């Protein structure tokens, strides 16, 4: 009996031990599945946790900040555009103010505001004043037909313009052939009669004929050189109003280089000079002697030879238009006046009691680049070094035998005929 009970007890203990082991293995598997990294390591899956309320608030705040930044940028752009528009209006008003003040006799009302903010002067030797007036706002309503033509032929809003009637037909042909030879595309002939229109069309030359105008047409068809020259100041106005810079050219000119490559464009008017050397062209101190004054007999004066009204570059500015208006008005009221004299007086005379000056800036062109015929025939052709220079243009303005001298200039500078200039006297005979 005792042996059987003992056996039975051992059997129960073995079963309990086996059960405990089995339970331990089972729990171990469960914990291994639930806690693969153990009890003492953080859960490496934070991204699987649901977002808390505080996280949602942070993200929402970031979105709101981005929207505010975008709104501020948009507002800044709007204000910048508004500021630019206001500055444009200020410039326009300043220009209108200047035009209005041209007719006012009080000098203090002649000031043009070129800057809305005062400026500090820089160190000694570094200060430069403004001398380039702002261009006008183009107004195509002034002459839509001319505006369309200029938009097709102008380069960088610039064009060479010449007036011509049948009296200068032979010189005009030398003129436009020299331009073609150089390869200048932006030039225009303002024809004053139908014969010139036909000539230009036959030779593929850009031509423009104004709408009928009794006063202009009468002078244009029958007038001499001086009368026709006076018309240009009235006709050029429309070109400037349309916003184009004009290189006004007489037809007694031979082109040897493109003049637009040699302009400074820093002044209202940039003109060739009638001076024949550096002193006469660019200015000098001339002493006036009056012996009766005794100790004060010598009076110093500043002199400069006149600008040539047959070749000048004029920018589309208010002072430039005022210049054209003043010259045209004086030539109408003083029909016996010489346009070149009036042109220079209006450019040079300062304001004084009873007179308001023009306030236009001006520049004298290089006399060896933009050469008049006195410089060529009196000096250059006799100097071995100067003869090697190739001018931009030669203007046969000092001599009445214009056509043969123009052909000689072409022979010398274009065709290389070294003695082409030798047969002509220095002056006229």
């Amino acid at each position: 009996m005792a042996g059987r009970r003992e056996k039975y007890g051992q059997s129960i203990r073995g079963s309990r031990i086996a059960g405990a082991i089995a339970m331990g293995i089972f729990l171990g598997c469960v914990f291994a599945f639930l806690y693969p990294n153990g009890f003492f390591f953080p859960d490496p899956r934070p991204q699987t946790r649901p977002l808390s309320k505080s996280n949602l608030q942070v993200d929402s705040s970031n979105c709101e900040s981005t929207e505010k930044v975008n709104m501020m940028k948009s507002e800044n752009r709007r204000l910048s555009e508004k500021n630019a528009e206001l500055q444009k209006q200020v410039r326009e008003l300043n220009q209108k103010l200047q035009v209005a003040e041209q007719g006012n006799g009080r000098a203090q009302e002649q000031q043009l505001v070129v800057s809305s903010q005062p400026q500090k002067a820089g160190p000694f030797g570094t200060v430069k004043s403004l001398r380039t007036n702002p261009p006008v706002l183009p107004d195509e309503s002034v002459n839509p037909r001319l505006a369309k033509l200029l938009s097709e032929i102008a380069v960088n809003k610039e064009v060479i313009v010449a007036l011509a009637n049948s009296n200068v037909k032979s010189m005009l042909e030398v003129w436009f052939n020299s331009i073609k030879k150089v390869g200048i595309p932006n030039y225009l002939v303002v024809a004053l009669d139908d014969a010139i229109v036909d000539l230009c069309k036959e030779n593929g030359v850009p031509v423009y004929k104004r709408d009928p105008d009794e006063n202009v047409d009468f002078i244009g068809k029958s007038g001499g050189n001086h009368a026709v020259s006076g018309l240009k100041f009235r006709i050029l106005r429309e070109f400037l109003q349309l916003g184009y810079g004009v290189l006004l050219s007489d037809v007694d000119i031979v082109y040897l280089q493109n003049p637009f490559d040699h302009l400074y464009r820093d002044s209202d008017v940039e003109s060739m000079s009638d001076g024949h050397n550096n002193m006469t062209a660019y200015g000098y101190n001339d002493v006036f002697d009056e012996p009766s004054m005794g100790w004060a007999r010598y009076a110093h004066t500043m002199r400069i030879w006149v600008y040539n009204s047959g070749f000048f570059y004029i920018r589309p500015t208010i002072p430039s238009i005022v210049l054209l208006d003043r010259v045209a008005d004086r030539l109408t009221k003083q029909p016996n006046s010489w346009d070149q004299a009036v042109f220079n007086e209006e450019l040079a005379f300062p304001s004084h009691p009873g007179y308001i000056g023009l306030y236009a800036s001006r520049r004298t062109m290089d006399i060896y680049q933009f050469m008049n015929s006195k410089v060529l025939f009196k000096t250059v052709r006799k100097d071995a070094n100067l003869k090697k220079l190739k001018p931009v243009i030669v203007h046969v303005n000092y001599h009445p035998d214009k056509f043969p001298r123009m052909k000689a200039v072409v022979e010398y500078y274009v065709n290389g005929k070294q003695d082409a200039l030798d047969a002509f006297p220095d002056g006229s005979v």
Side-chain angles (χ1 to χ4, degrees), residues 134-160:
V136 298
L137 295 173
D139 182 7
E140 293 190 1
S141 66
V142 169
N143 190 331
R145 184 165 65 90
L146 179 59
K148 183 177 184 301
L149 177 59
L150 291 176
S151 68
E152 296 170 353
I153 66 173
V155 176
N156 297 326
K157 301 285 283 187
E158 294 177 326
V159 63
I160 298 171

Side-chain angles (χ1 to χ4, degrees), residues 296-365:
R297 63 181 291 179
Y298 299 112
H300 290 261
T301 69
M302 295 303 299
R303 295 190 64 186
I304 182 173
W305 286 32
V306 296
Y307 287 155
N308 191 290
S309 63
F311 189 87
F312 59 88
Y313 176 75
I314 185 165
R315 294 179 60 249
T317 66
I318 292 297
S320 296
I321 293 176
V322 175
L323 171 65
L324 298 181
D325 288 350
R326 288 188 176 193
V327 175
D329 182 62
R330 282 187 57 183
L331 292 176
T332 300
K333 295 176 179 177
Q334 305 165 12
N336 294 325
S337 298
W338 183 24
D339 68 283
Q340 181 159 291
V342 175
F343 174 70
N344 279 273
E345 288 170 1
E346 292 298 336
L347 268 176
F349 285 172
S351 296
H352 55 264
Y355 177 78
I356 305 276
L358 183 63
Y359 298 102
S361 57
R362 59 193 188 274
R363 168 182 281 275
T364 305
M365 292 176 170

Side-chain angles (χ1 to χ4, degrees), residues 19-51:
I21 292 173
M23 181 61 69
I25 293 173
F26 172 77
L27 292 176
C29 290
V30 171
F31 284 116
F33 176 78
L34 295 177
Y35 302 98
N37 295 305
F39 291 105
F40 303 104
F41 295 94
D43 190 346
R45 299 172 294 175
Q47 68 274 18
T48 61
R49 292 179 296 181
L51 292 173

